[in-house]
Amino acid sequence: TATLGILSAAGGYLQDNHAAQAQRRANERQRALIRQQTINKYDEIALKRQADRAAASREIDKTQREALRRRESARTSAGERGSAGLSLNALLRDLGAREGRAKEGVRDQVRFSNAQLDTAARGGELQTGLRLNAIKDPATPSPFGAAQSIASHATTIGERLQG
């Protein structure tokens, strides 16, 4: 029985140590997946920023083309009516102001979208930190408990051999 106790203590320690190592490897794989998900989220945010900038650029270009068309139309109409001067200048200033407001509105939308994306990125960082901190590695089994058990069983065997 004492011999079985020695073998059991040694085997138990080896089994516990193997299980702890396997859990650590599984935890490291989980950490790697969490980090990759975070990288993917940042890539998604970067693509959204690029798409927003491209859409804003297209919208501003469209606004400029429309404003140019309106200014040319106003000049043509004024020339055909023979009414140039102050009224045309006032109309052109009004069209310019409208164009400026439209462009600024597009820029405001991009700034708002960027603020939302910044918030999403910060939230992702916090979430990643919480998820990584929640993964706990198992304690390394102590060989001293197994050694103490083996020593106790060896003492029992020694006493039996002497007795």
Side-chain angles (χ1 to χ4, degrees), residues 110-133:
V110 170
R111 283 190 287 272
F112 178 70
S113 178
N114 281 336
Q116 286 179 316
L117 293 172
D118 290 344
T119 299
R122 284 191 301 275
E125 290 171 12
L126 290 173
Q127 190 66 25
T128 296
L130 290 172
R131 290 175 65 196
L132 288 173
N133 288 337

Side-chain angles (χ1 to χ4, degrees), residues 146-157:
Q148 185 179 18
S149 180
I150 290 170
S152 173
H153 289 295
T155 302
T156 302
I157 290 173

